[in-house]
Every structure is written in structure tokens, then in C-alpha cells.
């Protein structure tokens, strides 16, 4: 079964943070989503409806940042990358080297959430 990985940000009214999920392909439906983390936690909680939702659907509070593992940056990095895998939270470099988390100040903030 063809499958691929995606990552980006998951947003809830009380949380914004990086998250990964999968997509899988069936000839009958095309590409669908599967969030193994959320689906498994729903299973452990006994919430079968939520577990089934996360196998084939995805909640609308996602921002896709990556569809290719270890994709090149644009503009290209000027040295060794700090996060060469999926770059969900952004990167910075100085003098040809990537800065690690202790050398950067960054914040992710949910400014507004509204029903459309």
C-alpha cells in the first residue's frame, strides 16, 4: 500500500506544536490521512469513534510544513543543518553552522482561531 509521511504544526485552542502524521493510498478512495498518535491515544481511552476518525481523516487544525523527509531548504542552508530531518519549527544559521535550540529564541503563538 503506498504511503507517505507529512509533518507540520498541530493547533488546538490551548496548544500549538510540531506533529507528524501519515497518508496512505487506496484505489477506491485515493490519498487518506492516518494519525497514529492521536488514533492510538483514542484507542487507549476507549474512544472508538475518535480512533476511527484518525484512520482516514484528519482534524482541520493542521499546517503542513513538510511532505519530503530531509528536503532541501529554500534558500539553501549555508552549513550543517540543526534539524536535517523535517524542520517543523524552523532553523537559523550563523557562520556556516546551524544554531541549536539553546542558541535561538523562538515562540509559536496561536493569535486567533475562528469558525468558518
Amino acid at each position: 500500500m503506498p504511503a507517505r509521511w507529512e509533518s507540520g504544526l498541530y493547533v488546538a485552542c490551548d496548544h500549538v506544536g510540531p506533529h507528524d502524521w501519515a497518508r496512505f493510498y487506496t484505489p477506491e478512495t485515493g490519498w487518506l490521512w492516518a494519525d497514529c498518535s492521536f488514533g492510538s491515544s483514542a484507542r487507549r481511552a476507549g474512544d472508538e469513534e475518535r480512533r476511527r476518525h484518525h484512520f482516514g481523516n484528519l482534524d482541520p487544525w493542521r499546517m503542513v510544513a513538510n511532505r519530503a523527509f530531509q528536503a532541501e531548504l529554500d534558500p539553501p542552508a549555508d552549513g550543517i543543518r540543526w534539524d536535517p530531518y523535517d524542520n517543523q519549527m524552523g532553523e537559523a544559521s550563523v557562520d556556516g553552522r546551524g544554531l541549536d535550540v539553546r542558541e535561538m529564541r523562538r515562540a509559536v503563538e496561536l493569535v486567533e482561531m475562528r469558525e468558518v
Side-chain angles (χ1 to χ4, degrees):
M1 176 178 292
R4 61 184 179 207
W5 160 88
E6 285 184 348
S7 74
L9 295 179
Y10 168 74
V11 179
C13 60
D14 62 345
H15 174 76
V16 177
H19 193 63
D20 298 51
W21 52 91
R23 299 201 65 190
F24 64 96
Y25 181 85
T26 70
E28 298 82 25
T29 60
W31 287 98
L32 296 172
W33 294 271
D35 189 320
C36 301
S37 299
F38 286 20
S40 291
S41 65
R43 181 191 54 78
R44 287 190 300 275
D47 188 341
E48 180 63 11
E49 184 177 352
R50 195 170 121 234
R51 184 202 67 81
R52 291 177 59 95
H53 170 78
H54 285 290
F55 186 73
N57 299 287
L58 207 58
D59 48 66
W61 305 290
R62 308 288 174 117
M63 185 217 64
V64 177
N66 304 287
R67 287 196 169 113
F69 196 66
Q70 294 185 319
E72 293 298 318
L73 296 177
D74 185 17
D78 65 349
I80 297 174
R81 293 175 57 181
W82 178 74
D83 179 3
Y85 303 107
D86 61 0
N87 189 34
Q88 291 170 296
M89 296 296 290
E91 296 187 41
S93 60
V94 173
D95 298 329
R97 70 174 183 83
L99 301 178
D100 70 28
V101 70
R102 296 174 305 239
E103 298 175 291
M104 292 187 284
R105 273 186 283 177
R106 61 182 174 195
V108 178
E109 177 184 355
L110 175 61
V111 176
E112 181 179 9
M113 184 179 241
R114 62 176 113 147
E115 191 172 333
V116 293

